[in-house]
Amino acid sequence: EAGVAQSPRYKIIEKRQSVAFWCNPISGHATLYWYQQILGQGPKLLIQFQNNGVVDDSQLPKDRFSAERLKGVDSTLKIQPAKLEDSAVYLCASSQQRGGLETQYFGPGTRLLVL
Amino acid sequence: AQSVTQLDSQVPVFEEAPVELRCNYSSSVSVYLFWYVQYPNQGLQLLLKYLSGSTLVESINGFEAEFNKSQTSFHLRKPSVHISDTAEYFCAVSGGQGAQKLVFGQGTRLTINP
């Protein structure tokens, strides 16, 4: 079974530029998560989707971050414009369904450096 | 709201020595507890989890953790570590009926010296 795929693996941009990350969850997984992991900290949930609907985006900085999950499969996370403090690893995870305690499977992450 | 504190940011140990990685949590509701491991240049992987039942849970590679409700702790232990256990370990909590949101601790970097 293929795992969670993310691209790109690395991205370097200048502040005020825009960037987008892509995630393909494990086939059949209804729930998808985006986490931000700043160096030296644990991952922090940015947004959670159930199929193509948003379940929790309470910690998403909506003035600059946006995410979508069209057709309930792949997802894209965008930052526009980027700030220096957005430098982090962006992790995508998926699980089979909400309502139970399904294991979350994580992708390898996208490492973003904002200069 | 839940929170997790991992008391040690780095733990160096010698190969074949025992190790304990400490994790404390706070929550106003019943919790479910997890340990994730992140090997160098890899994604997070679930190591073990406590949902209900026996307070002692084990992983397939010799780690175990014990849920202690009175001390609000979920410490991770292994009686004899191997070089391959070098990784960063994250404790996480999820709370409430059907809640899936994971709140992670800051992580503990385990370094095994030969």
Side-chain angles (χ1 to χ4, degrees):
Chain A
E1 178 182 76
V4 177
Q6 290 188 247
S7 68
R9 292 294 309 275
Y10 305 92
K11 190 74 177 179
I12 301 175
I13 62 172
E14 295 187 350
K15 60 183 180 183
R16 291 189 288 273
Q17 286 187 321
S18 62
V19 64
F21 313 127
W22 173 83
C23 172
N24 180 239
I26 293 173
S27 178
H29 280 195
T31 310
L32 185 147
Y33 314 79
W34 282 102
Y35 289 85
Q36 180 192 57
Q37 185 178 11
I38 293 172
L39 188 64
Q41 300 181 20
K44 180 185 80 172
L45 180 69
L46 292 176
I47 188 167
Q48 176 185 340
F49 292 94
Q50 175 73 10
N51 296 309
N52 60 352
V54 175
V55 173
D56 183 350
D57 63 357
S58 57
Q59 297 192 91
L60 186 73
K62 299 180 186 62
D63 58 333
R64 298 183 299 105
F65 285 65
S66 65
E68 60 182 9
R69 191 184 183 198
L70 300 176
K71 300 180 181 179
V73 182
D74 294 4
S75 178
T76 303
L77 177 69
K78 296 179 181 177
I79 308 175
Q80 182 179 11
K83 292 185 175 181
L84 296 177
E85 59 261 36
D86 298 332
S87 294
V89 177
Y90 291 85
L91 300 167
C92 180
S94 69
S95 63
Q96 283 192 312
Q97 63 183 24
R98 184 170 178 262
L101 290 159
E102 304 290 344
T103 296
Q104 294 185 28
Y105 295 87
F106 285 80
T110 296
R111 189 175 297 274
L112 173 68
L113 179 61
V114 182
L115 302 176
Chain B
Q2 291 112 13
S3 66
V4 176
T5 301
Q6 291 183 245
L7 298 164
D8 306 294
S9 59
Q10 296 187 61
V11 174
V13 296
F14 288 106
E15 195 171 15
E16 298 183 7
V19 69
E20 178 181 80
L21 306 183
R22 296 180 292 170
C23 171
N24 287 91
Y25 68 91
S26 67
S27 176
S28 58
V29 298
S30 297
V31 296
Y32 309 102
L33 293 155
F34 307 80
W35 276 99
Y36 278 81
V37 59
Q38 188 171 32
Y39 297 106
N41 299 315
Q42 294 187 30
L44 287 160
Q45 302 173 36
L46 180 66
L47 187 60
L48 48 75
K49 60 185 176 183
Y50 168 78
L51 304 180
S52 65
S54 173
T55 57
L56 184 66
V57 290
E58 299 177 351
S59 71
I60 58 172
N61 58 353
F63 282 93
E64 64 178 30
E66 186 160 19
F67 171 55
N68 188 319
K69 188 175 181 179
S70 63
Q71 297 187 6
T72 61
S73 68
F74 191 56
H75 301 331
L76 182 69
R77 302 184 182 94
K78 189 170 185 179
S80 176
V81 295
H82 189 267
I83 289 285
S84 60
D85 293 323
T86 297
E88 187 137 21
Y89 292 79
F90 292 92
C91 183
V93 62
S94 175
Q97 187 75 19
Q100 283 283 290
K101 177 179 177 178
L102 286 174
V103 176
F104 286 87
Q106 305 92 317
T108 297
R109 184 171 299 278
L110 177 62
T111 305
I112 314 298
N113 299 307

